[in-house]
Amino acid sequence: MADDQISDEAPLLCNESIQRHDDINKKFNSKNAKKIALCFVFWFIVVHSCIHLFYARDSCKWLLSDGRYKGDMGWQPYGCMMHEYSELDCSRCLKYLAFRGSHNQFNFVGDSRILDIYNALIHTIEPKAQIVKSSKFTPSHYSDFEHPFHDSRLKLDINFFGSPYIEPMIKYFKKLKATGSAIWPIIQSNGSLNGIQDYIANLTQLIKPINDISSKSIVLWVLQEPVEESKLDNSMSMVTNNLIDLYNEAAMDVLSKSSAEMWWSSRLVSQGEMNDSPDGLHSSNASLRLRSQILLNLYCNDHMNFNDGTCCSSTEPYTSLQSYMLIFFIICILVGILMAVRYRRNRLSKNEPCYVVMISLAKLGLIMIYFYLCDRTNFFMKENKYYSDASFWLPVGYVFVLGLFFTEESRYTRVLHRDQTDEWKGWMQLIILIYNLTGASIKTSIANNVQILISAYLFLTGYGHFYYMWHRSDAGLTRYFQILFRLNMLTVVLCVCMNRPYQFYYYIPLVSFWFTILYLLLICPPRVTAASSEIRPAQYLYVILKILALFIFITILYMSEVFFDKIFLTRPWKALFVTTDDDIHEWWYRWKLNRFSVVNGVILSFIIILAQRYNLIDDNNHSNLVLPRLAVFSSFIAFLGLIASTVYNILCQNKMECYELLSYTSVIPIISYIILRNVSGVLRTRFSSLFAWFGRISLELMVCQCHIWLAADTHGVLVLLPGYPVLNGLIVSFIFICICHELHDITTKLTPYAVPSDHKDLFRNLICFILLLIPLGANDGMF
């Protein structure tokens, strides 16, 4: 998640090579993996496109046709995300439609089981409304029975017409919205198979009325759910699930010639909750609530802006800027293909700048098209997240066991050396990915610990930048813009291609902001480095004063939110810190939550530099850092710090209060981990190459997960293979990781051309970027 691809961000030593070949990439044979991944993505999209030719990508049909119960007994429709409507959500939807001139009307026609759905819908919209109990009614009660519900405030009418048989249903059909019947025809015929023929004949009479009104209304035929035969009253002993299935098959066969939609998922919802039926005939309250939610998703989703409700919702319209980007990438792809063919045929050098740039842009274009298909269209399916303790902890356990198999000796011995920090970033990133995939944010204890991981990333950012700038003198504009480019290239492209604000990728604004602050602070006179401080040790005081000034700056911003707003809401950089609705509270929340993490990293970096210079610690070899007694004591204190932090995170249940305190205390588990990881020479010089490999691409993993691993802007899960959640997870993860590695490679190749070392070329590119930014910024309200 941090700037892992920047080799100079991690702590580097003066006597160590700054640039080294990536041995871990060799071990994992990344080039072959990328080729396999790209081929797999290509053929998967081709196959998926062929399937599109035969099956309509209609998420309304998905919602009504199929689904399954998840482990938490929540209902997951097939291939789309279902929003859970609260009373407030219902009110907003109906008021919005009423404001647009629509009259919200639902009409239910059928027996007592349809009456149950009618009651459940009313209860979801108006929890205090009076309902009609279905258990009191028999066919005699349904004769000319009508029960209306009206709400003038919402312009809402929900009507129920009692019609246990098909014959009286026809006269009500002009008002039809949802209908279903089969139980009482079975009873009337005493379970005889001859009754099915009468049922089919009566259904046939409904085809023309259904077709007449289908242009004005959605007609749903509710397939009859099964019964719990052991609980049925003796008077209904002739009702069996076999007969219900025959009647349902007859209804599907006859009404397939009409415009009616078969509501098959209603039967599946009830079937999963049938054991909780009060009398064996009527559904449980839980299944009725789920069916009312399905109806509301069908009716409201396309008119509301719920990120977690993709069922029956139109895709987001593309902008003109996205169209221009598509044209640009298509041109790059075509030019890249022509150049690849030419260079391969003529055996030309593939290291020429023009070739490298065009091939990189062509690959970037293909990847961005895949991003768009995944998260801005219904080309690929999406499902709601599902959390359980097992779904979170089992993958975490698997990941750590796998990471241990790749443990090996590091070439470095220094505290927080490159391999160790990459490993740290890697396993933290994997935990955060599992956290986001499983929706574990609902678990406060897990969310508290994950917030510490976010703080640890920012801590390492402060540590690495200070350590590098202390030992290196090349702190000019070239380095500054190179790091900004590497941090922001992918994010800026995604902002344009996916039509999302910069703040959507919240971590990138955070690290970019803190890097800029640290850069300005450390290069401002007097500039202090290892070489200058060795000549004049009094310069240490300047570093302390600069750190103190940074603390004061942070405190002033935190104490005065008005002052904070004035700074960050100033044009032209206002657009970098506000969300789509021009709100800065997201940036304020993220900033204050981790406001001391970077400066804590700077302080620890400074302390370790002093300890190394004055030989207070010994990290030049494989021995322990300090004397044995001190090592044992410090390890014991660090272990207590980790235990105390973990216990606090488990016991603290008010997330906002926990987060506020964690901004001060997150340094305790971070320092504790560093002590335990580095005091012992054996632990300090060994690392997991698997975690380190993930750590090097953690920036891409953090950014890309929003669109090609998760879905619907992180609110759901991407589904490439529906019906097989484990296999789907493996396929999606493989493509996701390989694409992140490819994007890391693309960024590395483009950086020297976008930010050249020559100052004249750098100034030229900067002018071009500003000229390009002006129309984009004007369109986004930057000026």
Side-chain angles (χ1 to χ4, degrees), residues 432-447:
I432 292 172
L433 289 174
I434 297 171
Y435 169 83
N436 289 332
L437 181 70
T438 59
S441 58
I442 64 173
K443 197 83 169 180
T444 305
S445 59
I446 298 178

Side-chain angles (χ1 to χ4, degrees), residues 68 78 383 719 721-725:
R68 70 182 191 277
Y78 176 82
E383 290 187 354
V719 177
L721 190 65
Y724 301 92

Side-chain angles (χ1 to χ4, degrees), residues 426-715:
W427 68 255
M428 288 194 301
Q429 181 62 68
L430 291 173
I431 290 178
I432 292 172
L433 289 174
I434 297 171
Y435 169 83
N436 289 332
L437 181 70
T438 59
S441 58
I442 64 173
K443 197 83 169 180
T444 305
S445 59
I446 298 178
N448 292 340
N449 283 289
V450 168
Q451 180 54 44
I452 291 178
L453 301 186
I454 302 292
S455 298
Y457 273 108
L458 293 171
F459 179 94
L460 287 174
T461 296
Y463 182 95
H465 284 309
F466 182 86
Y467 201 99
Y468 177 87
M469 295 185 71
W470 178 268
H471 288 289
R472 298 294 299 273
S473 59
D474 57 334
L477 287 177
T478 299
R479 168 178 159 78
Y480 173 75
F481 285 117
Q482 281 180 344
I483 291 183
L484 279 189
F485 179 82
R486 292 178 179 181
L487 283 172
N488 290 275
M489 191 277 288
L490 174 60
T491 302
V492 171
V493 172
L494 284 175
C495 286
V496 177
C497 293
M498 306 302 287
N499 191 29
R500 285 297 173 266
Y502 186 57
Q503 273 300 312
F504 176 77
Y505 310 93
Y506 71 92
Y507 181 76
I508 304 304
L510 275 176
V511 292
S512 300
F513 169 78
W514 283 116
F515 168 68
T516 301
I517 295 298
L518 284 180
Y519 179 81
L520 294 175
L521 183 72
L522 296 177
I523 67 166
C524 71
R527 170 87 162 90
V528 184
T529 63
S532 64
S533 63
E534 191 171 354
I535 299 173
R536 298 181 59 191
Q539 287 192 342
Y540 290 134
L541 179 60
Y542 295 143
V543 177
I544 295 173
L545 291 176
K546 287 185 177 183
I547 294 174
L548 182 61
L550 182 57
F551 260 114
I552 294 173
F553 172 72
I554 293 172
T555 303
I556 292 174
L557 285 180
Y558 175 69
M559 296 297 292
S560 176
E561 192 172 350
V562 174
F563 181 57
F564 183 93
D565 290 347
K566 285 184 178 180
I567 290 179
F568 292 105
L569 288 178
T570 301
R571 299 178 188 276
W573 54 75
K574 170 187 173 181
L576 301 176
F577 301 105
V578 296
T579 55
T580 307
D581 53 358
D582 209 36
D583 187 11
I584 200 174
H585 285 89
E586 181 69 18
W587 168 247
W588 163 250
Y589 169 74
R590 298 289 183 182
W591 180 89
K592 74 173 183 177
L593 201 58
N594 303 284
R595 61 188 181 276
F596 295 120
S597 299
V598 173
V599 70
N600 287 336
V602 171
I603 293 172
L604 179 66
S605 182
F606 185 54
I607 292 173
I608 289 178
I609 288 170
L610 294 178
Q612 290 171 340
R613 170 165 291 185
Y614 294 103
N615 298 319
L616 299 178
I617 58 175
D618 181 14
D619 60 355
N620 288 314
N621 50 53
H622 290 70
S623 63
N624 295 339
L625 283 181
V626 293
L627 296 175
R629 289 186 178 180
L630 184 57
V632 172
F633 176 75
S634 59
S635 298
F636 177 73
I637 296 299
F639 182 74
L640 288 181
L642 281 179
I643 294 297
S645 173
T646 302
V647 170
Y648 170 77
N649 291 334
I650 293 174
L651 296 179
C652 183
Q653 294 301 311
N654 188 320
K655 187 178 292 187
M656 298 310 299
E657 292 180 3
C658 300
Y659 280 7
E660 184 60 34
L661 190 58
L662 283 174
S663 61
Y664 299 99
T665 62
S666 61
V667 69
I668 296 175
I670 294 173
I671 298 297
S672 298
Y673 173 81
I674 292 173
I675 292 173
L676 292 174
R677 189 70 177 82
N678 289 273
V679 165
S680 170
V682 175
L683 292 177
R684 188 175 68 254
T685 56
R686 294 194 65 82
F687 75 107
S688 170
S689 56
L690 177 67
F691 289 153
W693 187 85
F694 278 103
R696 295 181 187 280
I697 61 170
S698 62
L699 177 69
E700 288 77 16
L701 291 171
M702 176 61 180
V703 175
C704 297
Q705 66 169 320
C706 303
H707 304 297
I708 60 171
W709 200 55
L710 304 176
D713 293 338
T714 74
H715 291 87

Side-chain angles (χ1 to χ4, degrees), residues 702-768:
M702 176 61 180
V703 175
C704 297
Q705 66 169 320
C706 303
H707 304 297
I708 60 171
W709 200 55
L710 304 176
D713 293 338
T714 74
H715 291 87
V717 178
L718 181 65
V719 177
L720 302 182
L721 190 65
Y724 301 92
V726 176
L727 184 57
N728 174 76
L730 293 175
I731 293 174
V732 171
S733 299
F734 175 74
I735 296 174
F736 164 60
I737 292 169
C738 291
I739 284 179
C740 288
H741 189 276
E742 185 66 31
L743 286 170
H744 169 83
D745 187 57
I746 290 172
T747 305
T748 302
K749 289 180 178 178
L750 290 178
T751 298
Y753 301 105
V755 188
S757 300
D758 184 78
H759 290 288
K760 291 183 179 179
D761 294 339
L762 174 63
F763 183 73
R764 177 203 63 201
N765 290 0
L766 184 61
I767 294 297
C768 293

